[in-house]
Amino acid sequence: MDGDVRDLRRLVFVLDKVERVVPLVAESSGLAVVRERSPLWADDQREGSAGMSGAVWGALRESVRCLQAARRSAVREVRASSDSDVGLEWVAQGALLRRALEWACRVVWLVEPPRPERLANLAVGVPDPVVVVRRGGESSPAVGADVAQDVWLVCGGEPVVGLPVAELVGQVVGGGAREREDVPLVAAAATVLMVLGRGLELVKERSRAPY
């Protein structure tokens, strides 16, 4: 059980990093300003009343909210659980991280392709979540499409053989993670943060002028 407690604390440690993102997605954030003649500004003019930027920022904030909720759940579990209780909130935390990944990947899916495709994406709505998740992972160099999909499946309760826990966690924690299949939520949290970071990079680029 000591290993389970350590893994739970590792999850909290990774999720603590979401607090760095909160100011960036706040309404008062300078990053949220869409500059005139920027790509997002041009998309909004075509779609009307902040259509594209509104969808992008809504997805960013939903991803962060899910990460914050997963962190609160993990913190409560660390503080209140006995050894026998560890892991009882795995399903809830997994579901929150799955949704956080979907929202983060949606941000990348909306802003990463060429402009005509982005506008078409917004017009037709969101496709199969697997398509969105794979696109988000593919566009995040440290993740990749296959890993993003594997993490998404694990968080939905579907086992995936060979999930590279140490590699994923090492990207965020800095290495030293064990190769164990019983810490998939730590890998999921690291993956979401990497995709979210990529989404923020793209949004920053698309919000700058001139177009």
Side-chain angles (χ1 to χ4, degrees):
M1 289 297 179
D2 289 342
D4 293 334
V5 174
R6 285 195 298 270
D7 292 337
L8 187 59
R9 287 174 177 160
R10 188 189 294 266
L11 175 61
V12 173
F13 176 79
V14 173
L15 288 173
D16 280 344
K17 299 181 185 299
V18 73
E19 295 307 314
R20 301 177 185 176
V21 183
V22 172
L24 300 178
V25 301
E27 292 185 7
S28 58
S29 169
L31 187 61
V33 176
V34 179
R35 306 294 180 186
E36 187 173 347
R37 297 177 62 239
S38 69
L40 275 179
W41 177 86
D43 291 344
D44 287 344
Q45 302 311 301
R46 182 169 297 191
E47 290 297 314
S49 189
M52 176 62 80
S53 62
V56 168
W57 280 97
L60 279 170
R61 288 166 182 150
E62 286 301 319
S63 182
V64 170
R65 288 190 189 104
C66 289
L67 285 169
Q68 288 178 305
R71 181 188 176 279
R72 288 193 296 269
S73 172
V75 168
R76 283 196 305 268
E77 195 173 7
V78 167
R79 289 176 178 173
S81 68
S82 65
D83 285 346
S84 61
D85 293 329
V86 172
L88 292 181
E89 296 195 34
W90 191 96
V91 174
Q93 292 158 4
L96 286 166
L97 291 174
R98 181 180 172 108
R99 289 296 290 155
L101 180 59
E102 290 174 357
W103 283 115
C105 288
R106 184 178 184 187
V107 173
V108 176
W109 175 76
L110 282 170
V111 300
E112 190 272 340
R115 288 189 67 251
E117 186 179 342
R118 292 206 311 277
L119 296 174
N121 285 344
L122 187 61
V124 303
V126 181
D128 187 313
V130 174
V131 174
V132 176
V133 166
R134 289 189 63 83
R135 185 58 175 268
E138 181 181 23
S139 299
S140 304
V143 179
D146 291 339
V147 168
Q149 182 176 347
D150 286 348
V151 167
W152 183 78
L153 290 171
V154 166
C155 287
E158 301 180 47
V160 176
V161 176
L163 184 63
V165 173
E167 294 176 14
L168 291 171
V169 178
Q171 294 287 338
V172 172
V173 178
R178 291 163 296 164
E179 283 286 3
R180 289 179 51 181
E181 295 299 330
D182 57 351
V183 288
L185 294 188
V186 182
T191 300
V192 177
L193 286 166
M194 285 186 279
V195 176
L196 192 61
R198 176 57 177 158
L200 284 166
E201 288 177 1
L202 289 169
V203 171
K204 185 176 181 180
E205 292 174 6
R206 302 288 185 182
S207 298
R208 290 176 173 172
Y211 175 58

